[in-house]
Amino acid sequence: MRQEWSTEDLIGSWTLVGDDWRRVGNKTGATRLGFGLLLRFFEIEARFPDRPEELPAVAVAYMAEQVKVDPGFLSEYRWSGRTIEYHRAQVRDAFGFREFSRSDEDKLAAWLAGAGGSAGGEGADRGPAPRAWQGEHLVPPCRSGRGPP
């Protein structure tokens, strides 16, 4: 995650919009700030931050201003445990994602073993083929209309 953001990019990428407000509405303090940051980070990176240091300081300050929580409260947000797991599930649901399952693994393996992985075919070098399979089977469209994250 880049750490430097222009004002225009910050507003375009880190502003809570539409249903985001419903999702943060029932949260307070550190959980409100942390959840808002997880939500926007996930849309930008298509993953969750591993630790708070990955979050750009300017984005933390901007999010804190939006949700009316002191940015210092981020230090109270728990990066392991039930709360963040629940928040991650809510964020995945917001974007139409779900955790990769054993069934998904079996389907991908079958695809790689079949036409997608045949010699000389698109998957022969294991380059673009798995990404094509992901795009077709796993990656939902980005809600901002900018394409997949």
Side-chain angles (χ1 to χ4, degrees):
M1 165 70 61
R2 65 183 166 141
Q3 296 296 307
E4 300 295 322
W5 292 77
S6 70
T7 301
E8 182 179 314
D9 286 346
L10 182 70
I11 292 169
S13 297
W14 291 92
T15 299
L16 295 172
V17 295
D19 282 343
D20 295 348
W21 286 106
R22 181 181 53 78
R23 290 182 178 94
V24 300
N26 65 338
K27 296 166 179 61
T28 61
T31 58
R32 186 174 173 100
L33 177 58
F35 180 83
L37 289 163
L38 287 181
L39 187 65
R40 303 313 304 150
F41 188 100
F42 189 86
E43 183 168 16
I44 296 164
E45 294 282 310
R47 68 178 183 87
F48 294 106
D50 294 322
R51 58 193 193 292
E53 293 80 20
E54 283 189 74
L55 299 165
V58 66
V60 172
Y62 180 61
M63 183 62 65
E65 183 180 315
Q66 289 180 80
V67 299
K68 299 184 179 4
V69 172
D70 186 293
F73 277 25
L74 185 60
S75 65
E76 297 176 20
Y77 187 70
R78 299 279 179 223
W79 289 88
S80 63
R82 291 186 324 188
T83 299
I84 195 168
E85 292 303 319
Y86 181 60
H87 286 176
R88 288 176 179 158
Q90 288 179 303
V91 170
R92 282 191 297 270
D93 184 59
F95 291 101
F97 278 77
R98 60 180 171 72
E99 291 190 68
F100 197 73
S101 69
R102 176 66 185 180
S103 174
D104 295 325
E105 187 177 322
D106 293 343
K107 289 175 188 174
L108 178 58
W111 182 85
L112 289 170
S118 62
E122 183 184 13
D125 65 357
R126 300 297 188 261
R131 179 159 306 277
W133 186 90
Q134 285 179 341
E136 190 175 313
H137 297 284
L138 298 176
V139 181
C142 182
R143 66 185 181 152
S144 70
R146 293 184 300 229

